[in-house]
Amino acid sequence: MVYPEVHRLAHSYAQSFRGAEPFRHVVIENFFEPAVCRTLLDEFPRFEDRYALNEMGEVGGKAVRMNVRDVSDSYRALDRYLQTPGFLDLVSTITGISDLLYDPDYIGGGTHENRDGQSLDAHVDFNYHPRTKAHRRLNLIVYLNEEWEEPWGGALELHSNPWSPAANQTRHVLPLFNRAVIFETSENSWHGFSRINLPEDRKALSRKSFAIYLYTKERPAAETAAPHATIYVPDALPQSLVAGQTLDCTDVAELQGRFTRLRTQLRYLYDREKQFGAQIAAAETALDEVRAALRMPLQGYATQSVAPQGMWPDHWAGAEFTCDFVVQRKARALELDLWIPDQIEGDQALDIELAGNRSHHVLARGRRSRIVLKVAIAAGADITLRIRSSRQFVPARIGESGDERQLAFRLLGAALEH
């Protein structure tokens, strides 16, 4: 499906990619076979409101179809081709990034259509696939516009640093038919496009493109960042706006558009922060529950700073159980409440060590037993309790569940006598 000339010039494109500014990218003319690109335009899906919802759930001027395989037979054939080693190897040759992964979900990709008045603030893209957690490495965009002129806006803009307009350097790429742009996605790959402003006799046109994003399982550590969503940089005030200027209708419309986009982004970030806050609160609650579960069920004046070894959150213990705790008040004994399950073959022999004192106990299976360990423990003493069991069973091996743990007893409770 790719034009043969692209394969022939792959190494030349690789040189252009490596040396490009403001970040690594390459522009390739006549990327697809002409007939293929013509079919993609002819079968481009119509604009539908359900595919044009913005971050706030409102219908906007951009429609995205990520369900590429549902568009048409030609798009299904394209989808099959994009998965092939031949295509992925070609892109690897051009970009120098090996082991590229196709995204069957087309997260953020697929067909893009932007209508008159639409723009896209400079941004860097999300950096991990939301489902697979693979590293996002490349954007590949093929434009499908037979007619487009510079004054109409909508040209792809590659930025060096949109946070600093005075120092920002940009490159513009017109979105012309069968022109492909491949660029590396990183923490510095700022890109977007200015507001589309079509002339009156071209208002029926729209900016059309097809985009795929490619991933890798690993990424160099120096290029790796913490996971984040797409990050936008709103436009600064127009350079033409100066003190004493009288605003005309065009100026007012421009300012209204910029403030509307800024307010929409702030509202989106506010809603996302609330969502993240709720998720963090739920995670903290779950973590507190896990922390509580990963403690010996000990009553009395004592603290446990670390989780016991050899015990699970449901208080089942294995062949060797160890717990460290600090006694806050002087204690004279520790009482253990244990359950020896029926599944144990024979009586359970326990070798118990508490504060350096050892004792041996034989407990009948299928019964609840209490053991009182007499010992003088001073306030502030750091105590270790260790229990070694002679017998264990694996629930999965006797057909009770899929539980593969080796279990010896269940610690129902423990209490210090002060």
Side-chain angles (χ1 to χ4, degrees):
M1 288 189 168
V2 169
Y3 196 56
E5 190 78 353
V6 177
H7 290 274
R8 189 179 70 81
L9 297 176
H11 292 287
S12 175
Y13 291 135
Q15 291 182 344
S16 298
F17 183 88
R18 289 193 299 269
E21 296 291 344
F23 50 84
R24 298 203 300 173
H25 73 277
V26 65
V27 178
I28 302 175
E29 306 295 343
N30 301 314
F31 185 75
F32 286 133
E33 287 275 9
V36 170
C37 201
R38 164 55 56 190
T39 302
L40 295 180
L41 177 58
D42 290 344
E43 299 181 7
F44 198 89
R46 65 183 179 85
F47 193 101
E48 295 184 54
D49 288 352
R50 58 178 172 155
Y51 298 116
L53 302 179
N54 61 22
E55 292 91 343
M56 305 309 301
E58 302 164 342
V59 177
K62 176 182 179 179
V64 178
R65 288 286 298 268
M66 295 188 293
N67 55 341
V68 171
R69 291 174 290 274
D70 295 336
V71 173
S72 72
D73 289 340
S74 297
Y75 277 91
R76 276 190 291 276
L78 174 61
D79 170 71
R80 289 193 297 271
Y81 173 71
L82 297 176
Q83 307 174 42
T84 63
F87 173 76
L88 295 175
D89 289 345
L90 171 64
V91 180
S92 289
T93 298
I94 293 172
T95 63
I97 300 175
S98 58
D99 301 320
L100 290 171
L101 302 173
Y102 147 90
D103 175 23
D105 300 327
Y106 285 87
I107 299 298
T111 64
H112 290 189
E113 181 176 9
N114 291 272
R115 287 178 161 178
D116 184 56
Q118 186 68 21
S119 63
L120 183 62
D121 287 334
H123 64 282
V124 290
D125 296 306
F126 62 88
N127 55 347
Y128 290 88
H129 192 284
R131 179 177 60 82
T132 67
K133 309 308 177 186
H135 296 266
R136 182 168 172 177
R137 302 301 301 277
L138 293 169
N139 286 12
L140 193 162
I141 306 169
V142 181
Y143 294 104
L144 301 173
N145 308 294
E146 292 184 294
E147 182 182 7
W148 205 269
E149 297 181 12
E150 187 78 38
W152 298 356
L156 175 66
E157 298 173 350
L158 308 180
H159 298 261
S160 62
N161 184 7
W163 293 111
S164 178
N168 186 34
Q169 297 180 356
T170 62
R171 177 176 179 188
H172 293 70
V173 181
L174 274 182
L176 292 175
F177 186 75
N178 211 3
R179 174 178 284 173
V181 181
I182 306 174
F183 62 88
E184 186 174 29
T185 49
S186 69
E187 300 309 299
N188 301 308
S189 58
W190 299 98
H191 59 284
F193 61 82
S194 60
R195 184 176 182 271
I196 299 171
N197 186 22
L198 297 171
E200 288 301 322
D201 60 345
R202 293 292 188 274
K203 292 294 185 183
L205 295 179
S206 61
R207 183 185 188 271
K208 299 180 177 67
S209 61
F210 179 81
I212 64 168
Y213 308 136
L214 298 174
Y215 297 78
T216 57
K217 290 183 179 179
E218 305 295 337
R219 184 168 197 155
E223 302 175 8
T224 302
H228 61 73
T230 301
I231 300 171
Y232 294 93
V233 180
D235 283 335
L237 287 175
Q239 294 183 353
S240 60
L241 191 66
V242 295
Q245 175 183 347
T246 300
L247 302 182
D248 59 22
C249 293
T250 301
D251 295 326
V252 172
E254 175 69 17
L255 291 175
Q256 286 178 335
R258 296 191 184 204
F259 277 107
T260 297
R261 294 199 305 275
L262 177 59
R263 288 170 62 87
T264 299
Q265 290 176 20
L266 289 175
R267 182 180 169 192
Y268 168 69
L269 292 174
Y270 169 62
D271 289 342
R272 191 171 69 177
E273 183 175 352
K274 289 194 297 182
Q275 179 184 7
F276 287 168
Q279 292 173 346
I280 291 171
E284 288 177 341
T285 299
L287 184 58
D288 288 341
E289 293 174 352
V290 170
R291 286 170 177 161
L294 290 176
R295 294 291 185 267
M296 181 172 70
L298 177 62
Q299 299 293 317
Y301 294 97
T303 59
Q304 300 175 64
S305 59
V306 295
Q309 301 297 310
M311 187 185 78
W312 288 271
D314 57 4
H315 296 159
W316 276 102
E320 183 165 333
F321 164 79
T322 304
C323 180
D324 296 316
F325 56 94
V326 177
V327 177
Q328 302 300 314
R329 292 187 183 181
K330 180 172 65 176
R332 60 177 182 269
L334 175 66
E335 180 179 307
L336 301 177
D337 186 2
L338 307 174
W339 167 258
I340 309 301
D342 289 318
Q343 295 88 339
I344 292 289
E345 295 182 358
D347 293 336
Q348 180 68 283
L350 303 178
D351 182 60
I352 301 178
E353 181 180 346
L354 176 65
N357 299 317
R358 297 184 64 177
S359 57
H360 189 74
H361 308 264
V362 177
L363 306 180
R365 66 177 183 172
R367 292 181 56 185
R368 181 173 182 172
S369 302
R370 286 183 171 82
I371 299 175
V372 178
L373 305 171
K374 297 291 186 180
V375 62
I377 305 175
D382 194 342
I383 301 301
T384 296
L385 170 66
R386 183 174 288 108
I387 304 175
R388 297 180 177 89
S389 306
S390 63
R391 301 178 185 275
Q392 301 87 44
F393 79 102
V394 179
R397 293 179 185 171
I398 58 177
E400 292 194 354
S401 69
D403 192 342
E404 296 286 350
R405 294 178 296 174
Q406 291 188 343
L407 306 178
F409 62 88
R410 191 172 188 185
L411 181 58
L412 302 177
L416 286 167
E417 295 181 10
H418 296 283

